[in-house]
């Protein structure tokens, strides 16, 4: 109760400040982007490249703060409670839309507690394993995990993370339950995959591409309907053995609810400019991530997309019977 009143007062003060000072003075200090996963993983990479690019056009420093845990919900809760002054922003992925169905005690509302700024990118996931995992290709992976379900383990970034969602879809398709190992992000999960202490995972290409290319991990398939340009030799999961299996991960930029509209609009414009930047496009594309078209990098498009995704995932998750307290 006290928190809500304090937050309302903060919103009023920020609104007064914005109209008195004029939003054109924004930004005049460092902006923090909260990433709800550990450093080194896909969301961190997407946010860092975006932050570096937006920082040039906004003419201020942008730093990343990693607040990992519980599939992204700890970081989201933190941002929902932050001062809505444009100096705390949030990059999250598809998990922002699945959390309401997965978490029975969510302390925030992904729609009511955030100001959407715009979508950032769409990206593929890949099934990857430690280098010495016995399976050679996706068909062998399916056969091996089914035959060894009690000893194979699958890493993820916690309930509601993209790697977890991909994993539950995979297990439901092959009707096999595997042991899962949750991390605060797939950055640290990748370290364990490289070290050989976990067997396999499904993760975004932003985290897996360089290790696949250097031969440090094995890749079995990409989760998009079509093969992707950054690794054309890798089959899609649907062509390799699970027809209709597709998962695509989107990231988006938000501010806490109550952030003044002129600031949200300024950030949305900076986001759109960043997504047209040649260096950002190249870096994203090298990692298999695709910046969205300008019309999707807007508050309206993100608001509609988030709602549609919440409506889409709710029944799927309910049917799968997965939840967290
Ligand atoms: N890729 C992670 C996930 O599975 C999150 C991350 O570390 O970015 O959602």
């Amino acid at each position: 109760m006290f928190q809500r009143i304090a937050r309302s007062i903060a919103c009023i003060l920020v609104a007064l400040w914005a109209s008195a000072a004029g939003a054109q003075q924004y930004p005049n200090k460092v902006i923090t982007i909260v990433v709800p996963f550990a450093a080194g993983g896909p969301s961190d990479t997407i946010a860092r490249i975006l932050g570096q690019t937006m920082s040039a056009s906004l003419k201020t420093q942008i730093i990343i703060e990693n607040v990992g845990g519980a599939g992204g919900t700890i970081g989201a809760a933190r941002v929902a409670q932050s001062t809505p002054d444009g100096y705390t922003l949030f990059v999250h992925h598809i998990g922002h839309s699945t959390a309401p169905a997965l978490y029975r005690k969510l302390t925030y509302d992904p729609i009511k507690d955030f100001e959407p700024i715009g979508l950032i990118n769409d990206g593929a996931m890949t099934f990857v394993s430690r280098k010495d995992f016995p399976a050679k290709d996706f068909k062998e992976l399916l056969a091996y995990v089914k035959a060894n379900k009690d000893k194979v383990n699958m890493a993820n970034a916690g309930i509601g993370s993209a790697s977890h969602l991909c994993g539950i879809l995979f297990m439901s398709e092959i009707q096999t339950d595997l042991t899962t190992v949750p991390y605060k992000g797939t950055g640290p999960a990748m370290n364990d995959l490289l070290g050989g202490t976990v067997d396999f995972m499904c993760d975004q290409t932003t985290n897996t591409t360089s290790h696949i290319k250097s031969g440090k991990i094995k890749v079995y398939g990409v989760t998009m309907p079509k093969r992707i340009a950054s690794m054309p030799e890798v089959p899609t999961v649907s062509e390799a053995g699970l027809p209709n299996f597709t998962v695509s991960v989107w990231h988006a930029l938000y501010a806490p609810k109550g952030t003044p509209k002129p600031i949200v609009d300024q950030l949305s414009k900076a986001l759109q400019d960043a997504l047209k930047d040649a260096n950002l496009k190249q870096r994203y594309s090298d990692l298999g991530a695709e910046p969205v078209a300008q019309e999707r990098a807007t508050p309206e498009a993100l608001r509609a997309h988030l709602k549609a995704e919440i409506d889409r995932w709710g029944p799927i998750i309910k049917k799968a019977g997965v939840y967290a307290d």
Side-chain angles (χ1 to χ4, degrees):
M1 178 66 173
F2 174 74
Q3 267 178 339
R4 284 207 180 267
I5 294 171
R7 210 162 169 280
S8 308
I9 293 172
C11 288
I12 294 165
L13 290 177
V14 168
L16 287 173
W17 162 80
S19 53
Q24 56 275 39
Q25 284 180 17
Y26 170 86
N28 56 27
K29 61 177 185 177
V30 175
I31 296 174
T32 299
I33 298 183
V34 173
V35 169
F37 295 103
S43 308
D44 182 65
T45 304
I46 289 292
R48 272 177 209 275
I49 296 174
L50 180 69
Q52 284 157 12
T53 316
M54 283 178 67
S55 126
S57 68
L58 289 169
K59 300 190 176 43
T60 197
Q61 199 191 347
I62 298 185
I63 58 167
I64 303 298
E65 186 183 355
N66 299 93
V67 185
T73 55
I74 295 176
R78 159 90 74 87
V79 175
Q81 294 297 327
S82 319
T83 307
D85 58 2
Y87 291 100
T88 302
L89 306 180
F90 185 46
V91 166
H92 197 355
H93 62 26
I94 188 171
H96 204 41
S97 67
T98 55
L102 285 164
Y103 284 83
R104 293 203 281 210
K105 293 183 189 148
L106 211 57
T107 59
Y108 62 87
D109 182 315
I111 293 181
K112 291 194 191 131
D113 291 330
F114 295 82
E115 298 289 349
I117 295 173
L119 281 146
I120 304 170
N121 74 294
D122 295 307
M125 302 191 85
T126 40
F127 279 88
V128 290
S129 75
R130 61 181 161 83
K131 198 179 165 189
D132 53 357
F133 196 63
K136 251 192 346 286
D137 56 27
F138 195 71
K139 279 214 162 57
E140 283 193 20
L141 177 78
L142 294 181
Y144 188 85
V145 297
K146 282 187 193 177
N148 297 279
K149 62 181 170 57
D150 295 331
K151 63 176 200 208
V152 172
N153 57 48
M154 188 171 192
N156 66 39
I159 292 183
S161 62
S163 45
H164 172 249
L165 296 169
C166 184
I168 47 176
L169 288 177
F170 176 73
M171 288 184 240
S172 125
E173 282 279 320
I174 65 169
Q175 295 178 5
T176 306
D177 280 335
L178 302 170
T179 303
T180 54
V181 186
Y183 291 81
K184 285 192 171 176
T186 45
M190 177 58 79
N191 290 340
D192 278 2
L193 199 71
L194 291 165
T197 52
V198 282
D199 292 322
F200 82 114
M201 69 174 169
C202 172
D203 196 23
Q204 285 111 294
T205 53
T206 23
N207 197 25
T208 60
T209 303
S210 65
H211 302 302
I212 292 169
K213 297 212 160 156
S214 64
K216 289 191 190 132
I217 56 175
K218 278 187 191 165
V219 60
Y220 299 100
V222 293
T223 62
M224 299 302 261
K226 288 197 184 126
R227 292 189 181 208
I228 56 170
S230 54
M231 37 182 117
E233 66 292 352
V234 179
T236 65
V237 168
S238 32
E239 74 184 272
L242 293 180
N244 309 320
F245 186 104
T246 59
V247 188
S248 134
V249 178
W250 51 273
H251 281 90
L253 183 65
Y254 307 83
K257 190 74 186 176
T259 304
K261 186 165 183 312
I263 291 181
V264 170
D265 290 344
Q266 192 179 340
L267 288 166
S268 183
K269 169 81 174 59
L271 169 66
Q272 290 162 20
D273 290 347
L275 297 182
K276 282 186 261 172
D277 179 86
N279 180 48
L280 175 139
K281 279 164 89 171
Q282 187 61 53
R283 290 175 74 190
Y284 274 13
S285 127
D286 288 346
L287 296 167
E290 170 119 10
V292 298
Q294 175 163 335
E295 61 274 17
R296 293 179 68 211
T298 62
E300 302 69 39
L302 174 54
R303 189 173 293 113
H305 183 75
L306 179 64
K307 179 162 183 332
E309 284 287 90
I310 290 174
D311 293 348
R312 176 166 85 96
W313 279 99
I316 299 175
I317 291 167
K318 209 165 172 196
K319 194 162 161 232
V322 193
Y323 61 84
D325 282 318

